[in-house]
Amino acid sequence: MAFDEAPQATIVVGPDWRVVHWGLAAERLFGWTRSEAVGEVIDRLTDAGSNNASPRLRDIAVDEAGRGRAVLMRRHMDGRLMHVEVALQTVRDVAGAVRFHVASKRDVSGEQLQRDVELVDDRYRDLLDSVPDAIVIANDVGSIVLFNVEAARLFGVTAESMIGKPVECLIPERFARGHSRHRERFGSQPERRPMGSGLELRGRRGDGSEFPVEVSLSPLRLGERRFAMAALRDLSERVRLEEVQKAADKALLASSAKTEFLSRMSHELRTPLNAIMGFAQVLRVDAHRRLDETQHHQVSQILRAGRHLLAMMNDLLDLTRIEAGALALSVESVGVADVLDEVMAICEQAAGDAGVTLDFAVHPVDLCVRADRLRLRQVLLNLITNAIKYNRRGGHVAVLSERAGTEVRIAVRDTGEGLSRDQLERLYRPFDRLGAETGKVEGHGIGLVIARGLAQGMGGRLGAESTPGLGSTFTLFLAPESSPAIPATPERSTAGPSMATDGGAAGPRWCLLCVEDNEANIEVVQAVVALRPQWRLVVARSGAQAVEWVSKASPHLILLDMHLPDTHGIELARRWAADPASARIPLAALSADVTAVRALSAAEQGFTRHFTKPLEVDLFLAWLDDFERRIAQP
């Protein structure tokens, strides 16, 4: 009873260090009840553990009278560590044998904390308050003894409020128990090292919010006292940027997959389209198969539908490549007047059918811009076609090109119905036709999106102004460029090794080698060439056959598909260019892969023409006719 009434925890253990008496104060100090403690080895109940260099009760040195005193690190039943002052008295019998040990214990954690705070403050407070990183120093039981200014800012607390708190209050509760074990392990093996390398570490602010944190631990020893110093850095911005990058990479991968899928689908769709549109064109121009008015209209409808589908496929491919940032451009000096001449020639019939007049002006006439010629034509064709389609009968389209400060401005102005403010805000949303989907004008709502993407890809921009009831103006801004130099690239000769075939007036005079492996495409070319009886067609269905035919048939022209079962068309072109016997034969590329054709360089690969599938019969026949005209020239 006397032991229970003592203000300090009094514990009696036998010679074997098993508990004989466990007072009420001991229950309050260590958390174990009397029934749980009696009979247990004292060190199992209160020892700080193998990770903490604190002596056991039995290791306290005693004097001749059997008395000893020490401050030990002890552990509460809930796992927390504390500093305990121990007064030990060993009681012996008359023969000198140990009867029991009486230990009087008092929690001095608060007193030790105050001494630690004063010790660390004297040495490091002023210095650590001036560093840019958050610094936290804890003593050997994990209590915070220093919390610098940056740490207070980082965690959203005051430094004074954190002194004496366990460092586990700085991390989310779900990690606290594991953290205390890591901290004690660091105490047993103190060395400078990053904490949680390869793991996601998180801090907890005063308001409970969490944030990613980088921690570097360093041991600190001041006299007999040992501390752990942690330098902490907020990784929120880095993690945000990494997440943004991951999202961008994921989106890029998905976009690339979409682009690849659409590219393959486009390639597969162009083969049947080539047959549909190729034979339809042959029917329309074949003088031996005169169509009546109804049949001619039906064939025209086939071609119109095919071209619409083809335009949609091309636009979808362009849109996905623009979104993926994978659009290939060949930027050079381009004459504005030359491109506008081409575009106006293409648009003249549509303008006439719509009852719209066209005119354009270029100041100065030799005005040049920095652009991809094909893409510039595509942008202007889109703008002028739209100005015609959405105009009124009797309306007008004017195109003005001029220098405007450091830019070249190409403005396309129409006299149509104009656009509202809401429509202007929705102008570049893909597939949004701004209400025109209910009208008679064909379209799919991505032409302007592509035009703007192409303008930006060429280093320019696209602007729009409109007044409802009066019309709209779309303006393309590009960088000015000096006049393009005339390339000194030697052209392939128009004459092959044996130019004329003596076949008489009724027989073919010229030989065309078609290198193609798809039977439907071969039949289209056969039908087209049949419209020119002076030409004989030779077909090679592989690269190996093509090499053999070039040496045997001595063709005057070669039409070369880019994708063959045994090789690529470019490889064949290089092979023939390196052989003096075939180097002078003009080559034309043929491919369903629009990107591959656009990427070809006539100067580097030796191609004089590029044809895409579906084959434009008029252009193909013009190629054959142009060859004949040039040969006929003296």
Side-chain angles (χ1 to χ4, degrees):
M1 292 295 295
F3 287 155
D4 285 343
E5 295 173 357
Q8 298 179 347
T10 302
I11 301 170
V12 180
V13 298
D16 58 357
W17 299 94
R18 293 183 179 274
V19 176
V20 176
H21 174 79
W22 188 266
L24 293 177
E27 288 186 0
R28 291 192 295 271
L29 180 60
F30 293 105
W32 299 99
T33 65
R34 180 175 300 175
S35 61
E36 291 171 327
V38 172
E40 294 289 342
V41 176
I42 183 63
D43 290 328
R44 192 193 71 79
L45 298 174
T46 64
D47 188 62
S50 59
N51 288 329
N52 297 288
S54 180
R56 297 173 298 174
L57 185 64
R58 68 186 67 185
D59 296 327
I60 297 177
V62 296
D63 57 19
E64 293 179 355
R67 291 189 293 269
R69 185 177 292 274
V71 176
L72 307 179
M73 192 188 304
R74 300 287 89 184
R75 188 183 298 277
H76 189 275
M77 183 184 70
D78 62 11
R80 72 178 187 274
L81 296 173
M82 53 188 171
H83 292 108
V84 176
E85 183 183 62
V86 181
L88 182 65
Q89 175 69 58
T90 300
V91 180
R92 299 177 184 273
D93 60 18
V94 294
V98 175
R99 293 184 60 193
F100 50 83
H101 304 280
V102 180
S104 177
K105 300 188 177 186
R106 181 172 69 92
D107 185 359
V108 294
S109 298
E111 299 167 25
Q112 186 62 55
L113 173 68
Q114 187 59 38
R115 290 192 293 270
D116 289 342
V117 169
E118 293 174 356
L119 180 63
V120 173
D121 270 3
D122 289 343
R123 296 286 188 91
Y124 297 112
R125 167 61 66 184
D126 292 340
L127 173 64
L128 295 182
D129 272 345
S130 65
V131 300
D133 285 336
I135 303 294
V136 177
I137 297 179
N139 64 11
D140 51 1
V141 296
S143 296
I144 297 172
V145 298
L146 184 142
F147 208 76
N148 78 341
V149 172
E150 182 59 23
R153 187 201 64 78
L154 178 61
F155 285 91
V157 296
T158 63
E160 294 76 13
S161 68
M162 301 306 297
I163 300 303
K165 289 187 176 180
V167 291
E168 281 72 32
C169 74
L170 301 177
I171 64 174
E173 292 183 6
R174 63 186 181 279
F175 300 135
R177 184 172 295 276
H179 180 270
S180 63
R181 290 195 297 269
H182 292 308
R183 173 173 51 75
E184 291 179 28
R185 192 175 300 118
F186 175 78
S188 67
Q189 300 174 336
E191 59 181 15
R192 183 182 178 89
R193 63 178 182 267
M195 182 178 178
S197 179
L199 302 176
E200 180 186 4
L201 300 181
R202 303 191 68 80
R204 183 178 64 178
R205 296 188 178 90
D207 61 5
S209 61
E210 298 182 11
F211 63 99
V213 63
E214 181 180 64
V215 182
S216 179
L217 290 176
S218 300
L220 181 65
R221 192 177 188 108
L222 298 176
E224 296 298 318
R225 299 294 296 144
R226 296 189 303 172
F227 303 89
M229 181 169 66
L232 304 98
R233 186 167 297 171
D234 187 355
L235 298 183
S236 298
E237 183 62 17
R238 183 196 300 178
V239 170
R240 186 189 71 81
L241 292 175
E242 289 175 351
E243 290 175 349
V244 169
Q245 185 61 50
K246 287 179 182 177
D249 291 343
K250 185 177 180 180
L252 181 60
L253 183 62
S255 181
S256 298
K258 180 175 68 174
T259 302
E260 179 64 20
F261 169 75
L262 287 174
S263 181
R264 289 180 180 274
M265 285 300 297
S266 171
H267 186 277
E268 295 301 319
L269 288 171
R270 282 173 184 274
T271 297
L273 263 181
N274 189 48
I276 294 169
M277 295 181 65
F279 288 125
Q281 292 175 87
V282 169
L283 286 173
R284 192 178 62 174
V285 301
D286 190 350
H288 299 291
R289 296 186 181 89
R290 290 293 182 184
L291 303 178
D292 60 33
E293 184 176 346
T294 299
Q295 292 170 328
H296 191 277
H297 174 74
Q298 292 168 343
V299 170
S300 296
Q301 287 294 89
I302 293 172
L303 288 173
R304 181 169 169 269
R307 289 195 173 104
H308 181 73
L309 179 58
L310 182 63
M312 182 177 293
M313 287 163 44
N314 290 339
D315 284 349
L316 283 173
L317 271 177
D318 283 343
L319 181 61
T320 55
R321 290 189 175 112
I322 288 171
E323 290 175 343
L327 191 68
L329 296 171
S330 177
V331 178
E332 58 185 347
S333 178
V334 179
V336 176
D338 291 342
V339 176
L340 280 174
D341 277 335
E342 296 178 20
V343 175
M344 288 297 188
I346 295 172
C347 295
E348 278 180 355
Q349 182 174 343
D353 294 343
V356 174
T357 57
L358 297 175
D359 72 65
F360 75 95
V362 179
H363 304 295
V365 293
D366 60 347
L367 184 64
C368 293
V369 293
R370 183 168 177 76
D372 180 305
R373 184 183 183 89
L374 288 176
R375 294 303 191 176
L376 175 59
R377 186 176 70 173
Q378 181 178 347
V379 173
L380 293 177
L381 189 60
N382 175 268
L383 298 181
I384 296 173
T385 300
N386 282 349
I388 295 170
K389 290 193 302 183
Y390 298 103
N391 215 313
R392 55 182 173 79
R393 182 161 290 276
H396 182 66
V397 175
V399 183
L400 175 62
S401 305
E402 59 186 354
R403 286 291 295 266
T406 59
E407 298 175 300
V408 169
R409 177 173 58 198
I410 306 175
V412 180
R413 183 177 295 109
D414 66 57
T415 56
E417 292 299 320
L419 301 169
S420 67
R421 182 182 297 274
D422 175 66
Q423 287 174 317
L424 284 173
E425 291 176 354
R426 294 156 44 202
L427 197 59
Y428 300 111
R429 292 182 186 175
F431 307 105
D432 187 343
R433 296 199 59 206
L434 310 179
E437 58 273 11
T438 59
K440 296 180 180 180
V441 178
E442 290 184 346
H444 36 272
I446 57 176
L448 279 176
V449 181
I450 294 169
R452 185 175 68 164
L454 292 176
Q456 293 171 343
M458 294 184 291
R461 56 194 174 91
L462 184 63
E465 298 176 347
S466 189
T467 303
L470 296 180
S472 304
T473 301
F474 288 84
T475 307
L476 174 63
F477 296 90
L478 292 170
E481 187 66 284
S482 57
S483 298
I486 299 175
T489 305
E491 295 184 359
R492 274 182 175 263
S493 170
T494 57
S498 176
M499 291 311 303
T501 303
D502 187 11
R509 185 181 183 191
W510 316 107
C511 178
L512 169 67
L513 172 62
C514 174
V515 187
E516 169 66 74
D517 64 309
N518 183 277
E519 291 300 325
N521 293 335
I522 291 172
E523 289 186 26
V524 169
V525 176
Q526 287 173 333
V528 175
V529 175
L531 298 174
R532 295 293 185 268
Q534 65 271 33
W535 283 89
R536 177 170 66 96
L537 180 66
V538 176
V539 177
R541 290 172 171 78
S542 68
Q545 286 184 10
V547 172
E548 181 181 356
W549 273 111
V550 166
S551 62
K552 288 170 53 178
S554 298
H556 302 99
L557 294 176
I558 298 176
L559 180 65
L560 178 59
D561 183 47
M562 290 294 97
H563 301 283
L564 297 168
D566 58 345
T567 187
H568 195 281
I570 290 179
E571 294 304 317
L572 282 179
R574 289 172 178 165
R575 175 170 180 169
W576 288 327
D579 185 351
S582 56
R584 295 169 59 82
I585 305 175
L587 298 178
L590 177 65
S591 178
D593 187 343
V594 181
T595 304
V597 172
R598 281 175 176 158
L600 292 174
S601 168
E604 294 179 2
Q605 310 299 346
F607 291 96
T608 59
R609 291 294 299 269
H610 302 145
F611 293 108
T612 58
K613 300 173 186 176
L615 185 64
E616 285 289 343
V617 172
D618 291 343
L619 295 178
F620 183 79
L621 291 175
W623 177 54
L624 299 181
D625 296 342
D626 182 62
F627 173 83
E628 293 184 48
R629 281 194 299 271
R630 283 186 292 165
I631 294 302
Q633 292 175 357

